[in-house]
Amino acid sequence: MATGRTPIAIIDYGVGNLRSLANAIEEIGHEPELIDDPEVLLKADRIILPGVGAIEPAMRTLRTNGFVEPIFECAKRGTPILGVCLGMQLLCTSSYENGTHEALDLIDAEILPFDPDVGLKIPHIGWNSISWDQTHPLLDGIAPSSDVYFVHSFHASCQHDSNVLAWTEYGEKFASMLVKDNILGAQFHPEKSQYVGLKILQNFVGL
Amino acid sequence: MLKQRMIAVLILRNGQVVQSIRFKHTNVIHADPIHAMEAFNKWAVDEIVLLNVSLEPSSAEKFVEIIHRISRECFVPLSVGGWITSEDYAQQLLRSGADKLVVNSIVSEAPELVTRLSESYGRQCIVASIDVCRSEGNDTAVAVDRGRRIVTSSPGDWAKRCVELGAGEIFFNSISHDGARRGYDLENLKAVCSAVGVPVIAFGGVMTWEHMAEGLRAGADAVAAANIFHYTEQATRKAKSYLADEGFRMRVEGRAFAQAGNDAIDG
């Protein structure tokens, strides 16, 4: 468990609201560092990859800002990386949002739309529960079926069940948290999921 | 399983939380919105909506500062609205810690801006607020610009237009029911819910917890209230427990992080 204020790198590639994540990191007593320089990222001990909106412009911006290679390098070194919402989707192989787009491929998963025929409201917005089969330090102290805040229209489908850290039901059972060694992902927003979310972020700092 | 959301709305005029009655704002409830925020954080509220209803355009700048302060205490989604008339200002709001933008007048006055915001930040970031009102003869109209200009007679059509422009959520409000304590305008709420496939938040007129149950039965995905939450201790917690007893799916956890410490999770 880390002691004192640990710096947490939040990749700032010019999209979305990073303030919420930074506020949450401060709330749990650590130091958010918004990183817009890919070179600086290489020095980070913990990395959060945020993201909202569509995958294609986000992936393009990550590339043009030179973050792709440093992320691969950190992933290879074993630095814990947590993708949040679209950030989680960016860690996957490919996405079918507005065409087919390749992503970072750090986790063997595809990003698919919810089945429109089920009559669900899209986006999936609101508090929904997570459940899991395997224990993991990221879920320490979290009660099964805890509610967390989701807002998304696409979801991950993993090639291997071992990469599914948690499941959520919305018309179908989908992977709401991903894991592959030091690569972690949450489809929901831990920074907006009150106690449960802050606890998950604290667990991430403690990895 | 997806829960039905309970949302607290803070109406701000000149930086103070005010009571809203038919879109008139006179009584100050909290001089500093941060106090209201702290209470809602403890009371298991699922989401916060912050609306700047000041008539002066100059209020926009102060509103950004308020969001900056509020968002530091807000670990549930924060939607903000009022005076969003440019991409620059929208970006300022998001950079200050807002998660979603509530748009109203620009749906009519600058529809292309709604679409641009939706493309930049994603559909989930855009909440279209629809203000319906009733004439003396009980006819329905949809108004913009704080109820001053009527744009159509069909809330359902207006809701569809909002979604086509890029809104990912609808915030339904009724000028005639606002502060009137007789519950939501259920007929128009139903019309909006059945017109669109995106989530609908019901607002305007809640006096009892049963009014919220009516809103959910009418098809709303989330129920919102303002005045009543400020005047009742533990309001959102009580409201949720009423709705859970009525068979609705509510999130019960709601302790602040610092309070919960390393204890088992509440609920």
Side-chain angles (χ1 to χ4, degrees), chain B residues 151-167:
Chain B
V151 288
T152 172
S153 60
S154 166
D157 287 352
W158 195 249
K160 279 183 196 158
R161 177 175 162 77
C162 292
V163 173
E164 279 162 17
L165 290 173

PDB file of all heavy atoms in Angstrom, chain B residues 151-167:
ATOM      1  N   VAL B 151     -42.104  28.018 -28.865  1.00  0.00           N
ATOM      2  CA  VAL B 151     -41.510  27.502 -30.098  1.00  0.00           C
ATOM      3  C   VAL B 151     -42.371  26.444 -30.780  1.00  0.00           C
ATOM      4  O   VAL B 151     -42.266  26.261 -31.989  1.00  0.00           O
ATOM      5  CB  VAL B 151     -40.093  26.933 -29.851  1.00  0.00           C
ATOM      6  CG1 VAL B 151     -39.103  28.073 -29.599  1.00  0.00           C
ATOM      7  CG2 VAL B 151     -40.055  25.950 -28.698  1.00  0.00           C
ATOM      8  N   THR B 152     -43.193  25.744 -30.023  1.00  0.00           N
ATOM      9  CA  THR B 152     -44.045  24.715 -30.626  1.00  0.00           C
ATOM     10  C   THR B 152     -45.140  24.349 -29.636  1.00  0.00           C
ATOM     11  O   THR B 152     -45.070  24.694 -28.457  1.00  0.00           O
ATOM     12  CB  THR B 152     -43.236  23.444 -30.978  1.00  0.00           C
ATOM     13  OG1 THR B 152     -44.142  22.403 -31.392  1.00  0.00           O
ATOM     14  CG2 THR B 152     -42.469  22.902 -29.782  1.00  0.00           C
ATOM     15  N   SER B 153     -46.130  23.634 -30.122  1.00  0.00           N
ATOM     16  CA  SER B 153     -47.193  23.186 -29.215  1.00  0.00           C
ATOM     17  C   SER B 153     -46.989  21.725 -28.826  1.00  0.00           C
ATOM     18  O   SER B 153     -47.738  21.184 -28.034  1.00  0.00           O
ATOM     19  CB  SER B 153     -48.557  23.362 -29.885  1.00  0.00           C
ATOM     20  OG  SER B 153     -48.575  22.592 -31.067  1.00  0.00           O
ATOM     21  N   SER B 154     -45.953  21.090 -29.400  1.00  0.00           N
ATOM     22  CA  SER B 154     -45.783  19.647 -29.148  1.00  0.00           C
ATOM     23  C   SER B 154     -44.477  19.316 -28.427  1.00  0.00           C
ATOM     24  O   SER B 154     -43.399  19.323 -29.039  1.00  0.00           O
ATOM     25  CB  SER B 154     -45.840  18.888 -30.476  1.00  0.00           C
ATOM     26  OG  SER B 154     -45.361  17.571 -30.286  1.00  0.00           O
ATOM     27  N   PRO B 155     -44.549  19.015 -27.129  1.00  0.00           N
ATOM     28  CA  PRO B 155     -43.332  18.631 -26.396  1.00  0.00           C
ATOM     29  C   PRO B 155     -42.665  17.392 -26.998  1.00  0.00           C
ATOM     30  O   PRO B 155     -41.436  17.289 -27.013  1.00  0.00           O
ATOM     31  CB  PRO B 155     -43.827  18.338 -24.976  1.00  0.00           C
ATOM     32  CG  PRO B 155     -45.143  19.026 -24.864  1.00  0.00           C
ATOM     33  CD  PRO B 155     -45.721  19.034 -26.250  1.00  0.00           C
ATOM     34  N   GLY B 156     -43.468  16.455 -27.501  1.00  0.00           N
ATOM     35  CA  GLY B 156     -42.914  15.226 -28.086  1.00  0.00           C
ATOM     36  C   GLY B 156     -42.068  15.539 -29.311  1.00  0.00           C
ATOM     37  O   GLY B 156     -40.948  15.044 -29.462  1.00  0.00           O
ATOM     38  N   ASP B 157     -42.607  16.403 -30.207  1.00  0.00           N
ATOM     39  CA  ASP B 157     -41.859  16.775 -31.406  1.00  0.00           C
ATOM     40  C   ASP B 157     -40.582  17.524 -31.040  1.00  0.00           C
ATOM     41  O   ASP B 157     -39.533  17.337 -31.656  1.00  0.00           O
ATOM     42  CB  ASP B 157     -42.709  17.675 -32.322  1.00  0.00           C
ATOM     43  CG  ASP B 157     -43.799  16.889 -33.023  1.00  0.00           C
ATOM     44  OD1 ASP B 157     -43.792  15.640 -32.906  1.00  0.00           O
ATOM     45  OD2 ASP B 157     -44.661  17.514 -33.671  1.00  0.00           O
ATOM     46  N   TRP B 158     -40.686  18.389 -30.034  1.00  0.00           N
ATOM     47  CA  TRP B 158     -39.517  19.166 -29.625  1.00  0.00           C
ATOM     48  C   TRP B 158     -38.439  18.248 -29.048  1.00  0.00           C
ATOM     49  O   TRP B 158     -37.249  18.415 -29.323  1.00  0.00           O
ATOM     50  CB  TRP B 158     -39.923  20.239 -28.604  1.00  0.00           C
ATOM     51  CG  TRP B 158     -38.873  21.287 -28.409  1.00  0.00           C
ATOM     52  CD1 TRP B 158     -38.117  21.494 -27.304  1.00  0.00           C
ATOM     53  CD2 TRP B 158     -38.458  22.279 -29.363  1.00  0.00           C
ATOM     54  NE1 TRP B 158     -37.248  22.545 -27.494  1.00  0.00           N
ATOM     55  CE2 TRP B 158     -37.433  23.044 -28.763  1.00  0.00           C
ATOM     56  CE3 TRP B 158     -38.839  22.587 -30.676  1.00  0.00           C
ATOM     57  CZ2 TRP B 158     -36.795  24.098 -29.412  1.00  0.00           C
ATOM     58  CZ3 TRP B 158     -38.202  23.637 -31.323  1.00  0.00           C
ATOM     59  CH2 TRP B 158     -37.195  24.376 -30.700  1.00  0.00           C
ATOM     60  N   ALA B 159     -38.885  17.243 -28.283  1.00  0.00           N
ATOM     61  CA  ALA B 159     -37.937  16.283 -27.706  1.00  0.00           C
ATOM     62  C   ALA B 159     -37.214  15.523 -28.824  1.00  0.00           C
ATOM     63  O   ALA B 159     -35.998  15.328 -28.779  1.00  0.00           O
ATOM     64  CB  ALA B 159     -38.665  15.316 -26.781  1.00  0.00           C
ATOM     65  N   LYS B 160     -37.980  15.117 -29.845  1.00  0.00           N
ATOM     66  CA  LYS B 160     -37.360  14.401 -30.978  1.00  0.00           C
ATOM     67  C   LYS B 160     -36.327  15.280 -31.662  1.00  0.00           C
ATOM     68  O   LYS B 160     -35.257  14.824 -32.045  1.00  0.00           O
ATOM     69  CB  LYS B 160     -38.436  14.016 -32.005  1.00  0.00           C
ATOM     70  CG  LYS B 160     -39.194  12.766 -31.637  1.00  0.00           C
ATOM     71  CD  LYS B 160     -40.175  12.415 -32.736  1.00  0.00           C
ATOM     72  CE  LYS B 160     -41.189  11.428 -32.211  1.00  0.00           C
ATOM     73  NZ  LYS B 160     -42.426  11.427 -32.990  1.00  0.00           N
ATOM     74  N   ARG B 161     -36.683  16.554 -31.823  1.00  0.00           N
ATOM     75  CA  ARG B 161     -35.761  17.500 -32.465  1.00  0.00           C
ATOM     76  C   ARG B 161     -34.460  17.611 -31.643  1.00  0.00           C
ATOM     77  O   ARG B 161     -33.364  17.605 -32.204  1.00  0.00           O
ATOM     78  CB  ARG B 161     -36.446  18.861 -32.568  1.00  0.00           C
ATOM     79  CG  ARG B 161     -35.576  19.944 -33.157  1.00  0.00           C
ATOM     80  CD  ARG B 161     -36.387  21.240 -33.335  1.00  0.00           C
ATOM     81  NE  ARG B 161     -35.508  22.399 -33.497  1.00  0.00           N
ATOM     82  CZ  ARG B 161     -34.871  22.694 -34.623  1.00  0.00           C
ATOM     83  NH1 ARG B 161     -35.015  21.906 -35.665  1.00  0.00           N
ATOM     84  NH2 ARG B 161     -34.086  23.754 -34.705  1.00  0.00           N
ATOM     85  N   CYS B 162     -34.607  17.677 -30.322  1.00  0.00           N
ATOM     86  CA  CYS B 162     -33.425  17.769 -29.454  1.00  0.00           C
ATOM     87  C   CYS B 162     -32.520  16.563 -29.660  1.00  0.00           C
ATOM     88  O   CYS B 162     -31.290  16.692 -29.740  1.00  0.00           O
ATOM     89  CB  CYS B 162     -33.839  17.841 -27.979  1.00  0.00           C
ATOM     90  SG  CYS B 162     -34.691  19.363 -27.544  1.00  0.00           S
ATOM     91  N   VAL B 163     -33.114  15.376 -29.730  1.00  0.00           N
ATOM     92  CA  VAL B 163     -32.322  14.151 -29.892  1.00  0.00           C
ATOM     93  C   VAL B 163     -31.657  14.126 -31.268  1.00  0.00           C
ATOM     94  O   VAL B 163     -30.486  13.764 -31.398  1.00  0.00           O
ATOM     95  CB  VAL B 163     -33.208  12.900 -29.663  1.00  0.00           C
ATOM     96  CG1 VAL B 163     -32.439  11.626 -29.994  1.00  0.00           C
ATOM     97  CG2 VAL B 163     -33.707  12.866 -28.225  1.00  0.00           C
ATOM     98  N   GLU B 164     -32.410  14.564 -32.299  1.00  0.00           N
ATOM     99  CA  GLU B 164     -31.816  14.619 -33.643  1.00  0.00           C
ATOM    100  C   GLU B 164     -30.617  15.559 -33.671  1.00  0.00           C
ATOM    101  O   GLU B 164     -29.630  15.308 -34.348  1.00  0.00           O
ATOM    102  CB  GLU B 164     -32.853  15.111 -34.671  1.00  0.00           C
ATOM    103  CG  GLU B 164     -33.797  14.015 -35.127  1.00  0.00           C
ATOM    104  CD  GLU B 164     -35.056  14.585 -35.782  1.00  0.00           C
ATOM    105  OE1 GLU B 164     -35.056  15.781 -36.160  1.00  0.00           O
ATOM    106  OE2 GLU B 164     -36.045  13.833 -35.880  1.00  0.00           O
ATOM    107  N   LEU B 165     -30.694  16.639 -32.920  1.00  0.00           N
ATOM    108  CA  LEU B 165     -29.581  17.599 -32.900  1.00  0.00           C
ATOM    109  C   LEU B 165     -28.381  17.075 -32.117  1.00  0.00           C
ATOM    110  O   LEU B 165     -27.280  17.596 -32.243  1.00  0.00           O
ATOM    111  CB  LEU B 165     -30.043  18.927 -32.296  1.00  0.00           C
ATOM    112  CG  LEU B 165     -31.014  19.755 -33.134  1.00  0.00           C
ATOM    113  CD1 LEU B 165     -31.525  20.943 -32.342  1.00  0.00           C
ATOM    114  CD2 LEU B 165     -30.354  20.221 -34.425  1.00  0.00           C
ATOM    115  N   GLY B 166     -28.610  16.049 -31.273  1.00  0.00           N
ATOM    116  CA  GLY B 166     -27.464  15.457 -30.579  1.00  0.00           C
ATOM    117  C   GLY B 166     -27.595  15.325 -29.076  1.00  0.00           C
ATOM    118  O   GLY B 166     -26.622  14.990 -28.401  1.00  0.00           O
ATOM    119  N   ALA B 167     -28.784  15.582 -28.525  1.00  0.00           N
ATOM    120  CA  ALA B 167     -28.950  15.436 -27.074  1.00  0.00           C
ATOM    121  C   ALA B 167     -28.998  13.959 -26.689  1.00  0.00           C
ATOM    122  O   ALA B 167     -29.583  13.144 -27.393  1.00  0.00           O
ATOM    123  CB  ALA B 167     -30.227  16.129 -26.610  1.00  0.00           C
TER     124      ALA B 167
END
